[in-house]
Amino acid sequence: MKAIRVHQFGGPEVLKLEEVATPRPSAGEVLVRIHAAGVNPYDTYMRAGTYAIKPPLPYTPGSDGAGVVEAVGEGVKKVTRGDRVYTAQTLTGAYAEYALAREQQVHPLPAKIDFKQGAGIWVPYGTAYHALYHSAKAHASETALVHGASGGVGIAALQIARAMGMKVLGTAGTPKGLEMAKREGAHQVFDHRKAGYQEEILQATGNRGADVILEMLANVNLAHDTKLLANNGRVVVIGSRGEVTINPRELMSRRASIRALVLWAITPAEEADIHAGLFAGLENGTLRPIVGKELPLADAARAHKEILEPGAAGKIVLIC
Ligand code: NAP
C-alpha cells in the first residue's frame, strides 16, 4: 500500500510517499481502507519534532481518517467488514491507503457524512466539543466568542455552540473566512486583522463581554481576551504558538478564569461523551464538517505548508 513516511524530523519535505506492507489486524484491531485523511496543525508540529509527543521513527502521520472497514481481528464486535467509519487516532497512521486501529479508535460514520468530511471529524470536532462542554461548561443563555473561527476547530465550535443555543461571535482574517464563519453559525463576525476589532466585539455584547472565549492563538490574543470577558467568563486556550504576558487583575475583577486543554489528555468517559455527542450532531445535521481543500496523498508536504498559512477556510484533506 502507499503511505506517507517520516524517517527524520524536519520541514514538510521529510514527508515521503512510499510503498509499504499493508498491515494485518491482530486481536482487537481493525484494518480500515482510508479514503481521506484530515490534516491538522499538530501533525506539522509532530513532523518537526517540536511537539510534546515524539513518535518513534519512521512513522506515518495522521490521526483523523475516514473509510471502510477492510478486515477485523479476533474478538472485534463494534464493527464488521464493509462498515463506514472515522478514526480517532490509529496505530499505524492515517496518511495511508490502509490504517490499523484499535477497536475503540474507530467510530461509525453517519450515512449523510462523506469520507472527506469524515476525515475532518475527530481532532476539530472532538476539541471543540471538549472545549465547550467539558472545559467551559457552556450554557445556552451565554455568549461564545470563537477566536479563529475559519479553521477546522473554529468551524466545528461555531456549529456546536450554535446548536447549543448560544449567541455566537466569530473572527477570521479574510473575507472568505468571515463569510464561512457567518454561514456556519456565527451571529456576527469580526476581522482579527483589523485594528480595533476587539472594541467592536465588546460593543456586540452590549459592553458586557463574552462568557466563553475559545482561543486558537493565545500567544497573540490572551492579554486582550481577558478584557473581553463578562463576569465569571472563561477563556479556553486551544491553540498557542508562543509566550504571552497578561494582567491577572483583568481576571480578578471579573472573577474570570483561563482554562486550557489538549485533546489527547481527555478521560475515557469524556471521550465516550464526545463521540456520542458528535454522532448525534452529524446524524441530525447540526454538525457538517467543511472541506476547504482536497489534495492527493502525494501532496502531503504541500498540505503541511498550507495548513500553517493565513486564510483558513475549512479543512485540508488528503485523498488516499
Ligand atoms: P486551522 O484550520 O489552521 O485554523 C487556524 C485558525 O486560526 C484560523 O481560523 C485562522 O484564521 C485563525 N487565526 C489566525 N490568526 C489569528 C489571530 N490573530 N487571532 C485569532 N485567530 C487567528 O487550525 P485548527 O485545526 O482550527 O487549529 C487551531 C489551533 O488550535 C492550532 O494552533 C492547533 O494547533 C490548535 N489545536 C489544539 C488542540 C488541542 O488539543 N489543544 C486541538 C486542535 C487544534 P484566518 O486564517 O482566517 O486568519
Side-chain angles (χ1 to χ4, degrees):
M1 68 166 187
K2 290 193 168 35
I4 296 293
R5 301 292 281 164
V6 174
H7 290 271
Q8 63 188 87
F9 297 116
E13 68 284 353
V14 303
L15 298 166
K16 306 278 189 214
L17 185 69
E18 293 179 2
E19 193 67 37
V20 297
T22 304
R24 287 168 178 226
S26 300
E29 295 176 355
V30 177
L31 181 68
V32 183
R33 169 68 180 97
I34 299 287
H35 287 289
V39 176
N40 289 298
Y42 93 100
D43 297 344
T44 72
Y45 319 149
M46 202 176 260
R47 182 216 69 229
T50 56
Y51 196 56
I53 300 170
K54 261 193 177 187
L57 297 169
Y59 79 100
T60 294
S63 53
D64 298 8
V68 175
V69 173
E70 177 79 12
V72 298
E74 203 186 318
V76 170
K77 294 197 174 59
K78 187 171 167 185
V79 292
T80 56
R81 186 179 151 82
D83 285 356
R84 301 170 79 251
V85 294
Y86 72 90
T87 64
Q89 293 295 344
T90 71
L91 295 167
T92 56
Y95 291 14
E97 288 178 324
Y98 293 87
L100 207 55
R102 289 197 191 93
E103 182 177 12
Q104 307 91 290
Q105 293 171 327
V106 296
H107 301 272
L109 191 63
K112 62 173 66 153
I113 304 296
D114 66 27
F115 294 127
K116 292 171 220 162
Q117 292 177 299
I121 295 176
W122 175 235
V123 168
Y125 281 84
T127 302
Y129 191 99
H130 183 49
L132 282 162
Y133 280 96
H134 301 145
S135 183
K137 298 189 180 3
H139 297 282
S141 56
E142 294 186 313
T143 296
L145 167 64
V146 181
H147 213 165
S150 48
V153 179
I155 289 172
L158 294 175
Q159 294 175 358
I160 296 170
R162 189 67 189 253
M164 289 170 85
M166 302 182 81
K167 176 172 177 183
V168 186
L169 311 177
T171 78
T174 62
K176 192 176 175 189
L178 288 163
E179 186 201 316
M180 184 166 280
K182 192 97 194 257
R183 201 179 62 227
E184 295 309 322
H187 291 96
Q188 279 176 267
V189 292
F190 306 86
D191 181 350
H192 55 227
R193 301 208 199 292
K194 188 177 154 196
Y197 77 97
Q198 296 96 338
E199 188 53 39
E200 290 175 17
I201 291 174
L202 205 52
Q203 282 168 13
T205 66
N207 289 319
R208 189 184 152 270
D211 301 288
V212 174
I213 300 179
L214 301 190
E215 184 50 71
M216 306 304 156
L217 201 55
N219 54 302
V220 172
N221 297 320
L222 193 59
H224 250 295
D225 287 346
T226 60
K227 299 178 190 166
L228 292 180
L229 283 172
N231 286 343
N232 295 305
R234 294 85 77 199
V235 181
V236 182
V237 176
I238 294 174
S240 186
R241 293 181 180 161
E243 295 183 1
V244 60
T245 303
I246 64 156
N247 182 354
R249 285 210 165 270
E250 300 288 352
L251 299 172
M252 292 154 71
S253 55
R254 294 175 173 83
R255 302 167 58 130
S257 55
I258 298 171
R259 302 168 188 194
L261 59 85
V262 279
L263 188 61
W264 46 261
I266 55 175
T267 65
E270 286 169 339
E271 183 164 1
D273 197 31
I274 292 169
H275 286 294
L278 296 188
F279 186 84
L282 293 164
E283 203 179 35
N284 70 27
T286 51
L287 307 186
R288 306 162 304 277
I290 304 294
V291 176
K293 187 171 283 181
E294 300 167 28
L295 293 171
L297 182 60
D299 280 354
R302 182 178 156 198
H304 272 216
K305 280 191 208 111
E306 293 187 4
I307 186 87
L308 296 182
E309 288 168 0
K315 287 295 301 176
I316 299 179
V317 301
L318 298 170
I319 305 304
C320 304

